[in-house]
Amino acid sequence: RLARQDLTALRYADIQSREVAEKALEISGLALEFLPEELKADKELVLEAVGRAGMALAFAAPELRNDREVVLRAVAQNRSALLYASPELRRDKAVWLYKGAAV
């Protein structure tokens, strides 16, 4: 319940299980910041996070910041998320022109 009131409370939570991570991401995609590194590399969880809060891309594992599907989902939710995409995808004109259609 506390996490619903204040996401920073998640900093002190011991989120090790996928189930708890999914619950945290239901509250906010930005909860990705507080997940352990192995869960930040879970494509399914990251897609959920960036679909709710595109800026959560900032907390995704580097390989997922270079994943076109993940980046397009983030950009569809918040164009500014492109700032956190890999340099390769930031240079990709198609990503810049993406309008948010189904990935």
Side-chain angles (χ1 to χ4, degrees):
R1 184 189 316 172
L2 179 60
R4 288 187 186 275
Q5 298 169 358
D6 185 1
L7 275 179
T8 59
L10 290 172
R11 177 174 292 140
Y12 306 104
D14 185 23
I15 302 174
Q16 296 299 320
S17 78
R18 181 178 176 77
E19 182 181 356
V20 174
E22 289 171 346
K23 295 289 185 192
L25 293 174
E26 286 176 12
I27 296 167
S28 172
L30 294 174
L32 187 64
E33 176 180 6
F34 306 108
L35 301 186
E37 295 304 315
E38 61 270 11
L39 294 178
K40 290 179 181 183
D42 182 309
K43 185 173 179 176
E44 186 177 318
L45 287 177
V46 172
L47 283 169
E48 174 72 21
V50 300
R52 292 182 181 275
M55 297 301 276
L57 185 62
F59 309 114
E63 63 270 16
L64 293 179
R65 292 196 308 263
N66 191 44
D67 183 289
R68 180 174 300 276
E69 181 182 9
V70 171
V71 170
L72 291 180
R73 175 90 47 97
V75 168
Q77 202 286 323
N78 184 330
R79 301 254 338 135
S80 295
L82 192 52
L83 293 169
Y84 300 106
S86 69
E88 178 185 337
L89 289 178
R90 282 196 312 262
R91 288 190 298 268
D92 187 327
K93 185 177 178 182
V95 174
W96 279 92
L97 297 174
Y98 184 67
K99 299 289 188 200
V103 178

